Amino acid sequence: MSLPRPPKKNPILRTRAPTTPPGGRSRVALGLTTAAALGRLELQVCRDCGTVQYPPREACHACLSERLRWTAQDGAGELIADTVLTHSNDLYFRERLPWRLGMVRLDAGPSVVAHVHGDVGDAPARVRVGARLDRAGQAVLVAFPEQETKDMADDRQLREMTCDPQYRKVLVTDGKTPTGQAVVRALVDAGADLVWVGHAEPWKQYAGFDAIAGLHAVTPVPLDLTDSRAVSSLAAQIGGKVDIVVNTAEHHRTFGIGDRRGLDAARAEMDINYFGLLRLAQDFGPALKARAADGDTGACAWVNVLSVYALANFPAHGTFSASKAAAYSLAQCLRAEMRASGVRVVNVFPGPVDDEWNQLVPPPKLAPSALASAIVKALRDGVEDVFPGEVAQDWLARWRDDPKALERELSL
Amino acid sequence: MSQDTLAAFANALATGSIRVVDLTQTLSPAFPQITLPPEFGQCWPFRIEEVSHYDERGPGWYWNNFSCGEHTGTHFDAPIHWVSGRHLPNNAVDTIPVEHFIGPACVIDCSKEAAADADFLLTVPFVEAWEARHGRIPPRAWVLMRTDWSKRTDPVAYQNFDATGQHTPGPDADVVRFLVEQRDVIGFGTEAIGTDAGQGYHLRPPYPCHSIMHGAGRYGLQCLANLDQLPPTGAVIFAAPLKIEQGSGSPLRVLAMVSER
Ligand SMILES: [Zn+2]
């Protein structure tokens, strides 16, 4: 059932304080979270006897082998029992009752307890189990209808785990770049209620900005992430209304150490890519956290457009890579500080975007519109780490396999 | 100068018969900075970060750290700023003789012309016509080009960019040569972001005010304000840059002293 537009907030009622579901996990169970952060369902598979295992354990429950590998699953299975929780002593769930749970026997073998989507019929029913991150940032299993249903994303329980921009108010920090403009358009198309679009140095005219600024849902706001006072002043004006921050502001030059004397280019990259994020997080973070349980469209997400070069330095864009690595590290800090509120920090790691600063990087390059779609999809799917495009996927695979090998390959 | 002269000067300040006019723009993050093509090195805009504000970072005091370039806001250009002046003696802000920082000013009103044409160029005939009304420019004077550009408080209008670049008034090459060679000026000042016109790159030589003035060991002042409050002649300018070792320029407070009639 499609979500009706939520009513305006009654300003004299207290804003509900954020709570999160139980967040403790053993280290081995975090393997499920690692995959869910990327939008994948992975379970342990024994390399000796082939058993698919759940819940995660240190050893195979069938043969006691420790040779277990997290392996992607399609999640197909049957809902064999379901129930609707009407009572809970957990602070998070008792505010969100009733809550539907069920037991699914996966075709791959194990039976799992899952949150059950409202469009799934009564047990027994065929389902597809997926992994999602809950408001505590931990992986949970969700049983979806086997076939896509209309407005599936609007399910009340599912929305607790996602950050759909529909009806939400979003700040895009830089609307002057092709990426920023594509993100604004994608958010407007996704039904965002209002999109504030930052623009620095207003005297510099960039193609496309006026068209963005003219969109019905868009309000341009002066914002320069290098200017602490400007960031504070904007936060004072709109910080209490922003539900999603998408930080698209970026400074990108194409130098290593030896081919550019001095610090000015590197410092400008750090000033926007790293310190800019810090300024933004200090000024917009607190209000966002405080409004994390503010109704159906409360504050829910913070998106950082990083770079796959944050994982391993791309020497041709060496100082840019370093600034993105710094931003990535800070984004991890932000994620940790946001976790208690349930506001999700989404880190996006694109490969080279098809823009002017990647002019000399050979294809394939990621279209700004593809990057924007990936951001909206990540918000809708509740994903935390996004590697859009084939270059980013390739780097991710190589980095996870052997970071040292990737470093050597990039130093050619 | 006798002690009597200084005493009379102090008395004139105290009694208000000398008026002090601030020719300086406020250093603010919102004030635009000179904009070069992105592949070049850039001058930092003015930025300010709070150190403490009577809070846990410093309970009894308020202060800030700021950053900017040598050419941010209302600022002074030294001869070493331009390649044409790089080998001159005493060409940096720390070595310029301090007496050069105080001098008479001739204010040439181009405000009507600049309002009609953002690319207005000051020419020799224009200066000669001004001299016909106000007298010959004395040696070692500042020549200040009043355009009322400082009244453009909207940064977009102040910078005035379009697809062909920046459009702000300035001097042409001949008048710069004339002011240096025929009038021995100490420097040239403007209200816009540079001493050269926005389209000054297309003049010969490119950026003539920078090239010729600094090549001759003269100075520049830009981003000046309140030139409309100065008489055409008779004002004395106090413009002392920060003493930056081998500095090419510096933000500064520019004050004009004007006799009240
Ligand atoms: Zn086994």
Side-chain angles (χ1 to χ4, degrees):
Chain A
M1 177 180 118
S2 116
L3 187 77
R5 170 174 288 275
K8 279 206 176 110
K9 182 179 173 178
N10 182 337
I12 62 165
L13 296 184
R14 170 179 177 269
T15 301
R16 187 173 62 167
T19 51
T20 54
R25 295 290 189 279
S26 68
R27 186 156 217 281
V28 64
L30 285 175
L32 205 61
T33 296
T34 303
L38 290 162
R40 301 173 186 171
L41 170 65
E42 289 181 3
L43 296 178
Q44 289 175 308
V45 175
C46 176
R47 293 165 81 173
D48 288 319
C49 73
T51 299
V52 179
Q53 165 162 290
Y54 184 89
R57 296 184 186 89
E58 301 289 347
C60 172
H61 75 275
C63 76
L64 297 181
S65 166
E66 291 177 0
R67 300 191 342 117
L68 303 171
R69 174 184 282 171
W70 288 94
T71 310
Q73 303 291 318
D74 67 4
E78 180 158 300
L79 179 71
I80 52 177
D82 67 320
T83 183
V84 175
L85 214 63
T86 55
H87 178 266
S88 173
N89 282 332
D90 179 83
L91 288 177
Y92 174 82
F93 283 108
R94 70 194 294 271
E95 292 177 337
R96 289 161 178 81
L97 297 170
W99 195 270
R100 191 177 182 205
L101 293 170
M103 176 73 78
V104 176
R105 187 184 296 129
L106 295 174
D107 298 350
S111 291
V112 302
V113 175
H115 304 284
V116 181
H117 191 282
D119 291 348
V120 173
D122 293 337
R126 290 295 299 173
V127 293
R128 184 179 49 79
V129 171
R132 288 291 182 275
L133 296 172
D134 67 12
R135 282 282 163 232
Q138 295 294 21
V140 292
L141 301 178
V142 179
F144 292 95
E146 192 172 38
Q147 306 292 333
E148 189 93 3
T149 58
K150 190 171 174 296
D151 303 316
M152 205 162 99
D154 291 343
D155 179 67
R156 184 180 60 83
Q157 285 185 208
L158 187 59
R159 272 183 73 95
E160 282 291 329
M161 300 168 201
T162 61
C163 308
D164 199 319
Q166 189 186 24
Y167 303 136
R168 284 196 159 100
K169 297 177 172 57
V170 189
L171 169 65
V172 177
T173 56
D174 183 2
K176 286 192 162 183
T177 62
T179 293
Q181 291 172 13
V183 168
V184 170
R185 285 189 191 280
L187 289 165
V188 169
D189 291 346
D193 209 38
L194 174 56
V195 184
W196 289 284
V197 182
H199 60 116
E201 299 180 319
W203 59 87
K204 291 185 184 172
Q205 292 151 4
Y206 287 93
F209 183 75
D210 289 345
I212 291 293
L215 294 175
H216 173 67
V218 167
T219 300
V221 286
L223 179 61
D224 186 331
L225 294 195
T226 69
D227 179 355
S228 297
R229 286 184 175 175
V231 176
S232 298
S233 133
L234 185 67
Q237 291 167 49
I238 67 169
K241 290 180 168 184
V242 174
D243 302 316
I244 300 175
V245 172
V246 184
N247 185 15
T248 55
E250 176 175 289
H251 192 80
H252 186 176
R253 293 294 180 267
T254 53
F255 303 114
I257 295 169
D259 51 357
R260 173 76 170 204
R261 281 189 291 154
L263 297 186
D264 75 311
R267 196 186 289 262
E269 287 167 339
M270 287 297 278
D271 203 14
I272 291 186
N273 302 347
Y274 172 71
F275 287 114
L277 171 58
L278 181 55
R279 292 183 183 101
L280 204 59
Q282 286 191 346
D283 282 323
F284 282 87
L288 216 64
K289 281 194 277 191
R291 287 191 45 256
D294 191 8
D296 288 335
T297 54
C300 64
W302 183 296
V303 182
N304 297 306
V305 179
L306 301 171
S307 163
V308 77
Y309 305 159
L311 298 185
N313 192 282
F314 178 49
H317 298 193
T319 56
F320 173 73
S321 302
S323 72
K324 289 293 188 174
Y328 173 34
S329 182
L330 190 70
Q332 290 177 310
C333 177
L334 180 65
R335 185 176 278 161
E337 293 189 6
M338 288 284 184
R339 246 188 92 193
S341 70
V343 172
R344 178 152 308 153
V345 174
V346 180
N347 288 336
V348 187
F349 301 84
V353 174
D354 198 358
D355 65 19
E356 59 178 338
W357 295 105
N358 287 312
Q359 182 202 349
L360 301 180
V361 176
K365 292 189 263 194
L366 187 65
S369 58
L371 174 53
S373 305
I375 289 171
V376 169
K377 183 175 188 317
L379 290 169
R380 284 180 173 152
D381 290 350
V383 169
E384 191 171 88
D385 294 319
V386 190
F387 292 80
E390 54 188 296
V391 174
Q393 285 292 323
D394 174 56
W395 276 51
L396 173 64
R398 286 154 71 190
W399 177 73
R400 290 180 75 166
D401 180 57
D402 187 344
K404 186 70 189 176
L406 179 59
E407 176 194 297
R408 275 291 183 279
E409 288 163 353
L410 293 172
S411 69
L412 287 174
Chain B
M1 184 184 285
S2 71
Q3 279 192 338
D4 286 350
T5 312
L6 270 183
F9 173 68
N11 186 56
L13 282 174
T15 57
S17 65
I18 291 178
R19 182 166 51 95
V20 182
V21 181
D22 190 354
L23 305 187
T24 320
Q25 295 273 8
T26 302
L27 283 170
S28 146
F31 191 77
Q33 76 277 10
I34 188 158
T35 302
L36 299 185
E39 58 271 22
F40 288 124
Q42 304 291 328
C43 179
W44 290 359
F46 180 78
R47 291 291 182 263
I48 186 161
E49 307 276 351
E50 208 169 73
V51 179
S52 72
H53 198 168
Y54 326 113
D55 55 22
E56 78 282 4
R57 298 168 299 172
W61 47 94
Y62 162 66
W63 51 355
N64 301 298
N65 288 323
F66 68 84
S67 61
C68 62
E70 290 177 332
H71 299 263
T72 301
T74 300
H75 67 276
F76 182 99
D77 283 356
I80 198 175
H81 179 39
W82 218 248
V83 63
S84 53
R86 69 187 293 185
H87 295 306
L88 296 175
N90 300 327
N91 59 354
V93 286
D94 58 329
T95 54
I96 292 170
V98 291
E99 56 273 20
H100 292 186
F101 300 146
I102 304 173
C106 296
V107 182
I108 301 181
D109 183 359
C110 309
S111 56
K112 281 192 198 69
E113 292 75 13
D117 175 11
D119 292 316
F120 172 74
L121 291 177
L122 180 66
T123 60
V124 173
F126 198 95
V127 172
E128 285 172 338
W130 181 90
E131 285 188 326
R133 292 195 301 281
H134 304 292
R136 187 181 163 101
I137 296 167
R140 309 307 287 168
W142 282 100
V143 170
L144 307 181
M145 182 177 174
R146 174 187 161 194
T147 53
D148 288 351
W149 210 258
S150 57
K151 295 182 189 298
R152 295 182 172 222
T153 50
D154 172 11
V156 178
Y158 186 82
Q159 291 282 59
N160 206 34
F161 273 96
D162 69 11
T164 62
Q166 197 163 28
H167 299 278
T168 55
D172 77 1
D174 287 342
V175 80
V176 179
R177 231 174 257 118
F178 170 84
L179 291 173
V180 170
E181 293 169 5
Q182 310 293 318
R183 295 295 180 265
D184 191 25
V185 299
I186 197 161
F188 188 78
T190 62
E191 294 183 53
I193 203 88
T195 53
D196 271 301
Q199 294 287 300
Y201 179 70
H202 301 294
L203 300 175
R204 293 179 216 176
Y207 305 119
C209 197
H210 285 80
S211 182
I212 297 168
M213 276 286 161
H214 299 329
R218 313 306 160 95
Y219 315 123
L221 286 170
Q222 47 251 289
C223 308
L224 294 169
N226 296 327
L227 295 185
D228 59 331
Q229 295 180 32
L230 302 188
T233 62
V236 171
I237 299 299
F238 176 81
L242 300 176
K243 196 171 181 178
I244 300 169
E245 188 173 63
Q246 286 295 288
S248 73
S250 117
L252 78 175
R253 194 83 182 244
V254 183
L255 301 178
M257 284 157 284
V258 181
S259 288
E260 289 290 16
R261 290 168 234 292

